Amino acid sequence: MLLDLSEEHKEHLAFLPQVDSAVVVEFGRIAVEFLRRGTNPKVYEGAARKLNVSSDAVQHGVEGLTYLLTESSKLMISEVDFQDSVFVLGFSEELNKLLLQLYLDNRKEIRTILGELAPSLPSYHSLEWRLDVQLASRSLRQQIKPAVTIKLHLNQNGDHNTKVLQTDPATLLHLVQQLEQALEEMKTNHCRRVVRNIK
């Protein structure tokens, strides 16, 4: 799987061939720090003074490198795919090898950081349901108005919470069909490949 870099990202990464390989390694360290602790404008300004360029150029270079490393780590692309993705940028062989080494050295740490940043979603615990049917009212003697009430128990970070939902049977049937369709979609080769790469 190759990375699809936009023109903006290619522009940001175009700064890397203009600097020394030691600077690229330092940019890689700054990129991982950027993920861990957030942006630090003082670091960009200090690097810009040393390189005699604008701090925006340094910031864009680091952000481009951060994007390259995070997307590669997120998709867990192979060494060959990474080299092919970077080859499109037209960098020298030495810079391509340096970027590959940065990726290989930092991908586990980046995946760990991205895992910590991901929001924790609630998970299913149990479900209770009830079918209510209104047969008549004061104004209408004969009416059939069914309603399904669902009590959904969820777990999130060790906490239990409950959601109560009410719907008519037609909407519930449509929801069930959509969920079944999503489960069938998960059995396709494409979805299996995506899930395998996410883990």
Side-chain angles (χ1 to χ4, degrees), residues 34-170:
F34 171 72
L35 285 173
R36 204 179 294 130
R37 295 199 177 99
T39 184
N40 187 353
K42 291 180 182 178
V43 173
Y44 299 139
E45 291 168 7
R49 275 195 303 275
K50 289 179 186 174
L51 297 172
N52 292 324
V53 294
S54 69
S55 63
D56 284 343
V58 172
Q59 182 175 356
H60 290 318
V62 170
E63 287 173 354
L65 190 55
T66 303
Y67 179 79
L68 179 69
L69 294 174
T70 54
E71 288 302 306
S72 301
S73 299
K74 201 184 304 180
L75 300 172
M76 282 298 282
I77 62 175
S78 66
E79 293 180 32
V80 174
D81 287 343
F82 184 85
Q83 287 175 326
D84 290 344
S85 299
V86 174
F87 180 76
V88 175
L89 299 171
F91 294 161
S92 67
E93 187 66 31
E94 180 189 350
L95 183 56
N96 287 349
K97 286 181 181 176
L98 188 62
L99 290 174
L100 175 65
Q101 196 58 46
L102 270 173
Y103 167 62
L104 294 175
D105 291 345
N106 294 305
R107 73 175 163 193
K108 286 184 180 174
E109 184 179 359
I110 290 171
R111 283 184 66 79
T112 304
I113 292 168
L114 292 176
E116 291 169 1
L117 294 175
S120 63
L121 300 173
S123 62
Y124 171 81
H125 179 68
S126 65
L127 177 98
E128 299 173 40
W129 63 275
R130 182 179 74 217
L131 177 64
D132 294 323
V133 180
Q134 183 176 353
L135 299 174
S137 65
R138 287 185 191 172
S139 57
L140 291 172
R141 286 189 177 195
Q142 290 185 333
Q143 75 173 25
I144 298 177
K145 188 177 174 187
V148 179
T149 305
I150 301 169
K151 193 173 189 181
L152 187 61
H153 300 276
L154 303 171
N155 293 332
Q156 186 172 15
N157 298 331
D159 296 333
H160 301 290
N161 58 1
T162 304
K163 304 284 184 196
V164 177
L165 311 165
Q166 189 169 31
T167 184
D168 61 296

Side-chain angles (χ1 to χ4, degrees), residues 13-28:
L13 290 169
F15 177 69
L16 296 179
Q18 301 169 12
V19 296
D20 191 40
S21 59
V23 175
V24 174
V25 171
E26 183 64 18
F27 278 10

Side-chain angles (χ1 to χ4, degrees), residues 5-15 60-61 63-65 67 89:
L5 297 172
S6 69
E7 289 302 317
E8 182 183 13
H9 290 113
K10 289 178 183 177
E11 258 179 53
H12 290 179
L13 290 169
F15 177 69
H60 290 318
E63 287 173 354
L65 190 55
Y67 179 79
L89 299 171

